[in-house]
Amino acid sequence: METARFLLRRLVADRTAALGALIIVLLVVAAIAAPVLSTHPQDISEFNPPGRLQPPSAEHFFGTDRMGSDIYSRILFGARITIAIAVIAIGASVLIGIPVGLVAGYYRNWVSDALMRISDIFLAVPQIVLAIAIAQTLGPSIENVILALSATYWPFWARLVYAETSSALNETYVEASIALGASPWRVMLRHVLPNISSSLIVRTTIGMGGTILTAATLGFLGLGPPAPSPEWGRTIAESREFLPEAWWYATAPGLAIFLVVMGFNLFGDGLRDILDPRTRRSTDG
Amino acid sequence: MRELALTFNRLLWLVPTLLGLLLITFTISHVIPADPVAFIAGDNASAEQIAALKAKFGVDKPIPVQLWNYVIGVLQGDFGVSLYTQRPIADDLASRLPATLELASVSILLSAVIGIPLGVLAAVDRNSWLDHALRVFTVSGLAIAAFWLAILFQLLFAMEWSVTPLQGRIDGWGPDPVTGFFLIDSAWAGDWAAFRSAVHHMVLPAITLAFPAMATVMRFTRAGVLDAINSNYVDYQNAMGVPRRVIIWRYVLRNALIGTVTQLGLIFGNLIANAVVVEAVFDWPGLGLYAVNSILQSDYNAIMGFTLIMGAVFIIANLLVDIVHGLIDPRG
Amino acid sequence: MPVCHVFRFCRIAAAAVLALGAAMPTASAGGKFVFANSSAYDTLDPHAVFDVGRVASRINLYDGLMRWFDNPPHLEPWLAEKVDISDDGRTYTFTLRDAKFHDGSPVEASDVVYSIDRILAMKKGAYSLFEGTVAPGSTQALDAKTVVFSLSKPSAIFLATVPEIHVVNAELVKANEADGDLGTVWLSKNDAGSGSFQLKRYDPAIGWQATRFKDHFFGWDMVDNPLDEIEFRTVVEINSRVLGLMNGDFHGTDGYLPQDQVKRLRASDRVVVQEEESMRIFYSIIHNGRAPMNDINFRKALSYAFDYDGFIDNILSGSVARNPAPLPNNMWGSPKDASGYMLNLEKAKEHLAMVEGDIREITLGALAGYGQTEQAAALLQNGLNKIGVKTKIVAETWPVASGKMRDEQQMYDLLFLWKSTYYADPNNWLGEMYACEQIGARNNSWYCNEEVDKLLSEARVSTDQERRRANYEKANRLLMEDAAGIFVYNTKWFGPFNKNARGIRFSPIGNGQEMRWVSME
């Protein structure tokens, strides 16, 4: 309890981290309350062809799209997709990466070597390249974007946990508990995992931003959910045909992506300063 | 000696890593639901026509046989035939690699030339308005979607103000290829009209790509300079009466650069990832555009080739970064 | 197309003069024409591809025995001087004109034989048009100027497909064969034709350039100031093509731009937009072989649930013409009085109520990257939503979709797409889309109606024009009555050209890209 309050105070004191947190909270609120906050919630599934490509106005804050739907409302609903993709993909990567890293770091044998080599191969290529190959193969849908992202992101966590586990095993108290006959699982769950949790949290937060960007890129390339999904990346791709006249069509979803990714990056930076002092963003803090 | 051994070790790992990569891409591409052969045959194709093509591309054989053939082929520099263009993929990739490398080089150069001095200024003038402004810039540089930035640039500079071309790499057919880098080839041939045109076309995509890279360079330069300024060594130099400017540019920067060099791998990875979409938006005839077109054609041979080449380029680049790092870092 | 037994050459000449106004004596430099094309010229082999998007390399570098002209398209002898057709409709004897290939060697009957046999051996491009009709090795050169096609079965559409037999220089191609590849590698980037233009430069990533072939058989007297050089560049992005035309870098581009862009072009004083009704219909395939779409009432409900006006008038800004039947309105055999379906949710509900059994979720297919198909699917989803039919949209790339289209299990419940003109005969649409024998190949609707099939197979072999017309009209009506597909529109072609360009001749097959008639002022 004490530590939580301490963390909170530190966060509020760091203005940029607080701003990041605020953006994230707003994103979550926007996603949950999309039906209430949106001005034209029916525009997600119903279209109004005569009112297509209207510029921003009091009626349509961000204008209308090629089907005559309200872009502002669609962006709110798009936030749901963004959150779902990022949370599930990161969650899955963490769930795969942590056990792999723990096992590989704890037992130093050929299995751990093999596991780390496999993750090295994945890390040898920029994520987006493999994600494109996977998403392309499976076909465009939200599920496949999540699959592609999880398949390419888990090695990050495996690597991180592996390195931290290896170094944790050298700590005297861990050595001691092993000597006292603690089971491997007990050592991993009781001693190693708590020890590395803060760097995991930091990485996960910063990873969210990257995942959202990659997911939007896949959507832009036509590998995300199909029309008429309000996914942000695909909305930008749709808009290109109508530029330069319908400038608002591309602008609004791009700003949404920008703000959300920045939110996670700022928040992650702040968290790192507080939780993981070894890798502060700069020595003066 | 130790570095040499390490480098050698990494070189040894190159082969299994690439083979593993090959296995991954092959696995991915053979879950494919598409029937690309039916597509090449055209929408008026008959069943017989399709069967003949399948035999020709070897996609009628058992999967292990296909994998074996593919690995043997790649080892001989043969990435197979594009299902769409019917040309050898190795040729397609080779002809498009220079365009991507030229764009990436200019972007890296741009991000270094702008990012390093700005990073130093931010560190030296810590907490000044400039430092804060640059911090906002670095944070947004990493948060902005490259394809969106590319479209915004097009919207403003090409469509609204018409000061740059909308897309493409050059007007006309470009200079005769010597290096494949249009800037070098046109200058070499003394064709200044082509050179100007190449520069003109390069501006928007290079800046788009350089944007996030610049942010990373600036951030690490700033951190490195701050680290160095706070070191005992600098205190000592200060005490010896060496002018502060000399200390900063001569001693501090060198140490700061080492930190930035270690990030080059990361920067390069981001650059390549962004090149895919940036090339697509600017219709830049490089590997990224090739990949995007291959996606639209479900040309899985081509996508495999692209992934392998990107993997190889990326792995080699990281290797080079390690070697350079070993050379310039006196702490070794 | 009137099938008379002897064609004479004069008609094209007359058409050319008509198109150009009074012919002036040929003058000097005719200039260069740069065309911005939306699809990439991945190969220049005229026998490897058969799509409208890359027609320019075929019709400008190569000649066929016959050629399509103008709109509505009419078929004329081209490399052939005349054609004699036997009474049983199975033997076609073409007499060649004096013509030269680009290397100066004469075009002979043996080149025609080599070309058709090459198509049959490669099994690509236009192969399917001749499969089952022309057997490999059945075509004979009687002498240097006479070539005889002996068809395996009578075919009313054979002549209409002859323009796709682009004649290649047999000796030249054979000299460049490698490992019995029929010269495919070499011909994919070189030119072995006799066409009006001669290849100068080619780069698959950029496009190709060609210069005027002065010794072309048709001569150049007819054209005042013919072009000296043509260039077809690949420019994928619509905005670049439009901007390039507006600032004069390009002189022409494809005529299927979004209406908002056409508006921009019309406003430019450098550009003139020509308008023609093309023959490229937009429709939705319905999988007639699967429940619930095998129930006519469900298909009618589908047809009544699509907002045709909203799609045509609003989303496409009225740039296309409603086409209620599978056959383009401007093709003969299309019933003039057919009105077709309109958006009517009440009627849709009535028909839906008559469908037996439960209705599951319906999969609406669209082509990824083709915004119109996605918008049409979304609009149909909207309509079906209102009558209580649940749907799911799946957008996949064309290769994926075209693979699934051939598989009864994998085919989507519905799929929006276009059907273009490969040859201007009703069989191009009706016979391929709905004949029983084409099921799983080009009939992707799994539609087989005995009555319709009888009409179509009769028309496919009959030489009686009136009977063919009557059959197609009737088949058209039956298909509409059956709601075999959702038939939406026929494309209009808005060809944007530099205002100095003269003599553009549009035909739905050549898409206005045959450059030999064009001059620049």
Side-chain angles (χ1 to χ4, degrees), chain B residues 32-53 56-57 84-88 91-92 95-96 154 158-159 162 164-177 182 280-283 285 289 293-299, chain C residues 32 39-43 48 50-51 54 122-129 131 184 188-189 201-209 231-241 243 249 264 368-369 396-400 402-406 410 418-419 422 428 432 441-442:
Chain B
I32 205 157
D35 187 355
V37 169
F39 168 68
I40 312 168
D43 60 350
N44 276 324
S46 64
E48 191 199 340
Q49 218 169 337
I50 290 167
L53 275 169
K56 187 183 161 201
F57 288 119
Y84 180 67
T85 71
Q86 318 251 321
R87 275 192 306 277
D91 289 4
D92 279 350
S95 71
R96 283 158 191 268
Q154 279 188 333
M159 296 185 197
S162 298
T164 61
L166 188 63
Q167 48 153 234
R169 197 177 170 205
I170 198 163
D171 291 323
W173 289 64
D176 288 330
F182 281 0
V281 174
F282 288 107
D283 208 16
L289 182 61
N293 288 338
S294 305
I295 291 172
L296 275 178
Q297 310 304 347
S298 291
D299 190 343
Chain C
K32 179 175 175 180
S39 30
Y41 294 94
D42 300 292
T43 173
F50 176 41
D51 59 344
R54 290 174 285 177
M122 278 173 62
K123 297 192 190 327
K124 281 164 65 172
Y127 164 74
S128 62
L129 297 180
E131 178 196 11
T184 46
S188 72
K189 46 192 184 222
R201 194 171 179 180
Y202 168 60
D203 182 333
I206 302 174
W208 52 275
Q209 286 177 328
E231 178 172 328
F232 282 78
R233 292 187 72 122
T234 307
V235 185
V236 179
E237 183 58 29
I238 293 170
N239 257 306
S240 291
R241 302 206 294 278
L243 281 180
D249 290 344
R264 274 172 85 196
E396 292 182 308
T397 62
W398 172 233
V400 177
S402 69
K404 289 189 175 177
M405 277 162 65
R406 293 191 170 82
Q410 287 189 50
W418 291 269
K419 176 82 183 174
Y422 295 97
N428 178 68
E432 309 217 331
R442 278 163 274 170

Side-chain angles (χ1 to χ4, degrees), chain C residues 161-181:
Chain C
T161 60
V162 165
E164 278 304 324
I165 309 175
H166 296 282
V167 179
V168 300
N169 186 336
E171 263 169 51
L172 189 58
V173 176
K174 279 182 198 158
N176 289 289
E177 269 184 19
D179 315 323
D181 70 344

Side-chain angles (χ1 to χ4, degrees), chain B residues 254-268:
Chain B
R254 178 159 186 232
N255 285 308
L257 278 185
I258 293 166
T260 309
V261 166
T262 54
Q263 298 304 318
L264 264 179
L266 174 79
I267 292 172
F268 193 69

Side-chain angles (χ1 to χ4, degrees), chain C residues 83-352:
Chain C
V83 50
D84 291 303
I85 305 172
S86 68
D87 288 337
D88 66 355
R90 293 177 60 164
T91 310
Y92 286 70
T93 308
F94 294 90
T95 309
L96 300 190
R97 294 165 45 85
D98 287 327
K100 277 184 187 152
F101 284 114
H102 296 150
D103 67 355
S105 60
V107 179
E108 295 184 333
S110 54
D111 296 305
V112 180
V113 173
Y114 178 79
S115 300
I116 181 70
D117 283 339
R118 188 170 182 268
I119 293 173
L120 295 175
M122 278 173 62
K123 297 192 190 327
K124 281 164 65 172
Y127 164 74
S128 62
L129 297 180
F130 307 105
E131 178 196 11
T133 312
V134 184
S138 67
T139 311
Q140 304 287 330
L142 283 193
D143 55 50
K145 291 275 169 230
T146 316
V147 61
V148 181
F149 287 79
S150 309
L151 307 188
S152 321
K153 58 184 185 198
S155 164
I157 60 159
F158 174 67
L159 212 54
T161 60
V162 165
E164 278 304 324
I165 309 175
H166 296 282
V167 179
V168 300
N169 186 336
E171 263 169 51
L172 189 58
V173 176
K174 279 182 198 158
N176 289 289
E177 269 184 19
D179 315 323
D181 70 344
L182 297 163
T184 46
V185 171
W186 184 80
L187 207 55
S188 72
K189 46 192 184 222
N190 289 284
D191 154 22
S194 61
S196 306
F197 293 88
Q198 187 172 357
L199 186 66
K200 179 178 156 198
R201 194 171 179 180
Y202 168 60
D203 182 333
I206 302 174
W208 52 275
Q209 286 177 328
T211 49
R212 182 153 59 94
F213 179 45
K214 301 214 167 48
D215 294 333
H216 188 254
F217 78 86
F218 192 73
W220 294 93
D221 301 344
M222 223 71 72
V223 187
D224 178 29
N225 249 347
L227 298 169
D228 284 328
E229 195 172 326
I230 57 174
E231 178 172 328
F232 282 78
R233 292 187 72 122
T234 307
V235 185
V236 179
E237 183 58 29
I238 293 170
N239 257 306
S240 291
R241 302 206 294 278
V242 170
L243 281 180
L245 257 123
M246 284 165 46
N247 64 27
D249 290 344
F250 306 136
H251 305 114
T253 189
D254 69 288
Y256 301 116
L257 299 173
Q259 221 25 229
D260 313 76
Q261 304 288 356
V262 173
K263 249 181 253 164
R264 274 172 85 196
L265 285 167
R266 284 211 164 108
S268 160
D269 50 10
R270 276 221 181 83
V271 183
V272 175
V273 180
Q274 297 191 23
E275 197 176 322
E276 294 265 3
E277 185 161 6
S278 187
M279 294 182 174
R280 180 170 168 264
I281 60 154
F282 183 78
Y283 73 116
S284 172
I285 299 179
I286 297 178
H287 192 322
N288 281 254
R290 185 188 290 159
M293 289 83 61
N294 55 5
D295 186 323
I296 184 170
N297 280 308
F298 188 69
R299 296 198 300 270
K300 288 201 167 174
L302 292 174
S303 292
Y304 279 122
F306 187 75
D307 185 359
Y308 302 90
D309 291 344
F311 191 63
I312 293 172
D313 296 342
N314 299 127
I315 290 178
L316 301 176
S317 314
S319 59
V320 296
R322 173 90 176 98
N323 200 98
L327 198 58
N329 295 332
N330 50 344
M331 185 75 228
W332 60 268
S334 164
K336 294 295 162 236
D337 54 343
S339 59
Y341 297 88
M342 298 293 285
L343 174 68
N344 187 335
L345 293 178
E346 285 315 307
K347 277 195 172 170
K349 275 184 203 154
E350 279 170 31
H351 284 288
L352 193 65

Side-chain angles (χ1 to χ4, degrees), chain A residues 124 137 250 272 281 283-284, chain B residues 28 33 126 135 148 219 227 314:
Chain A
T137 307
R272 175 159 55 194
R281 60 190 161 207
T283 32
D284 62 332
Chain B
I28 294 170
R126 189 173 20 175
R135 181 160 180 214
W148 184 59
R219 179 185 175 131
D227 261 342
F314 190 59

